[in-house]
Amino acid sequence: MAGSTVPSKVQESPEGDDVARRLLDSAAQLAYDPATEVDWETPLDKEFHGASPEWSSLYGTAYWGELTEAQRKELTRQEAASVASTGIWFEMILQQMVLRDIYMKNPAGAEFQWALTEIAEECRHSIMFARGAQKLGAPHYRPRRAVMELGRAFKTLAFGEAAYAAILVAEEVLDVMQRDWMRDERVVPFVRTINNIHVVEESRHMKFARDETLKRLEGAGWARRQINAFVVAVASYFIVTSMVNPEVYRKAGLDKRRALAAAKSNAHHKSMMRSSCSGLMDFLASARLLTKPALAFYKRANLI
């Protein structure tokens, strides 16, 4: 485990925040360098999956039952690479929103310094995901052009609780998947290491996002909550539905049209998503961000 570049203690400042200070101390004590922690040199062993099979978009369908074990493993490797690529896309959005949020804040403050620490970790994660997807033998997966443009607008316009709640949703959905993958001995070892690094460091990011969401909502009126709840739900829908690129099926040698139809009606995968996001939905409900219009998008994304 590599040492962090942040100081172990942060000076007190008027803008200091207890949560940010604790997170800085945590990052100083527990941080990873994927360049040295991940085994990039050992050739890919195709006897392993890229993700827990139960998380595959086709697991439990009739089509899954027809696949050979080699096809199943290739599909999970491509799906893991697609999820990683979606993670890179949203981490780039996250970094820009956080930088904009701290632009005018005191650099001596714990919140400012934590924000830069989080961005540094996200930069390392994005490089790690990119190298991981490449090692899995995947092409450059990315969301549809329309979704990319919506992301461009979101990162420019979203602020306050809308930005931090959307960050939280994206991080929590990845977290629940990767906690399973990192413990699964069927998953190729270097991917398990990547998942472990991400889970450990993202736990700090999620804590900060939850705290900032609640802080920004203090005193928010009905109209503001309605608008931001809707914005977060729409952003969440496009993030979640972009995780598995349709091209993963073609790359895995499957019938793309048939695979898409099977994935769309896969009750098992929908159930996995709903059960794993129960804690997230409880938080959004407690923050009064689960309005009727928002619920409609979370249901469409199978998060509730």
Side-chain angles (χ1 to χ4, degrees):
M1 183 175 69
S4 173
T5 58
V6 300
S8 60
K9 295 293 181 183
V10 180
Q11 293 181 351
E12 295 287 337
S13 73
E15 293 185 26
D17 178 87
D18 289 341
V19 170
R21 192 173 293 107
R22 289 197 300 271
L23 294 174
L24 277 166
D25 288 343
S26 172
Q29 297 169 28
L30 187 60
Y32 295 92
D33 181 0
T36 57
E37 295 286 343
V38 180
D39 179 6
W40 301 113
E41 302 303 320
T42 302
L44 174 66
D45 187 342
K46 293 190 175 182
E47 291 303 309
F48 286 93
H49 285 275
S52 296
E54 292 79 8
W55 275 102
S56 173
S57 59
L58 294 185
Y59 184 88
T61 65
Y63 197 8
W64 177 269
E66 297 176 19
L67 302 181
T68 66
E69 194 61 22
Q71 287 176 312
R72 292 173 180 176
K73 290 173 180 176
E74 180 62 26
L75 176 59
T76 62
R77 289 194 293 268
Q78 294 302 316
E79 288 178 319
S82 179
V83 169
S85 297
T86 303
I88 294 169
W89 165 64
F90 194 76
E91 283 179 345
M92 292 178 69
I93 293 174
L94 178 161
Q95 292 170 48
Q96 294 177 72
M97 292 193 297
V98 172
L99 273 175
R100 189 178 68 241
D101 188 55
I102 66 168
Y103 179 65
M104 296 289 287
K105 293 186 178 179
N106 179 6
E111 188 175 343
F112 183 96
Q113 292 180 28
W114 162 251
L116 291 186
T117 301
E118 178 172 344
I119 290 167
E121 290 181 345
E122 295 293 10
C123 286
R124 292 196 296 272
H125 294 170
S126 294
I127 295 170
M128 175 176 72
F129 285 159
R131 294 184 68 179
Q134 182 181 34
K135 186 167 180 176
L136 286 169
H140 179 200
Y141 294 121
R142 65 171 66 186
R144 302 189 315 273
R145 178 61 183 268
V147 176
M148 295 286 285
E149 294 303 326
L150 285 171
R152 190 190 302 276
F154 180 75
K155 72 177 179 60
T156 303
L157 301 174
F159 64 94
E161 62 269 22
Y164 283 102
I167 288 170
L168 179 64
V169 172
E171 290 174 339
E172 291 247 11
V173 171
L174 276 176
D175 183 73
V176 293
M177 294 180 182
Q178 292 180 328
R179 285 182 183 274
D180 283 349
W181 302 356
M182 73 183 194
R183 302 185 185 103
D184 193 337
E185 294 185 355
R186 297 169 296 176
V187 174
V188 65
F190 84 91
V191 170
R192 294 179 64 193
T193 303
I194 287 173
N195 291 330
N196 182 67
I197 291 172
H198 196 248
V199 164
V200 169
E201 296 188 343
E202 286 295 322
S203 66
R204 296 191 284 262
H205 304 180
M206 291 187 291
K207 171 63 177 174
F208 187 65
R210 284 174 181 256
D211 186 66
E212 287 297 309
T213 299
L214 294 176
K215 186 188 302 181
R216 305 308 174 90
L217 281 170
E218 291 176 3
W222 180 87
R224 177 172 158 184
R225 286 180 186 271
Q226 290 287 317
I227 292 169
N228 285 324
F230 182 75
V231 169
V232 172
V234 172
S236 302
Y237 171 80
F238 284 112
I239 293 166
V240 171
T241 56
S242 297
M243 284 188 169
V244 178
N245 189 297
E247 289 304 309
V248 302
Y249 306 117
R250 194 191 311 277
K251 179 66 177 176
L254 309 186
D255 181 325
K256 178 181 172 181
R257 181 175 296 182
R258 186 181 175 196
L260 281 170
K264 186 176 181 179
S265 60
N266 188 353
H268 169 80
H269 193 258
K270 293 175 183 178
S271 176
M272 291 281 284
M273 293 295 292
R274 284 193 298 269
S275 62
S276 63
C277 291
S278 58
L280 169 63
M281 293 299 122
D282 287 344
F283 171 78
L284 293 175
S286 70
R288 291 187 285 162
L289 292 175
L290 278 188
T291 60
K292 286 186 177 180
L295 278 170
F297 277 91
Y298 290 124
K299 287 178 181 178
R300 287 183 64 187
N302 301 305
L303 297 182
I304 197 168

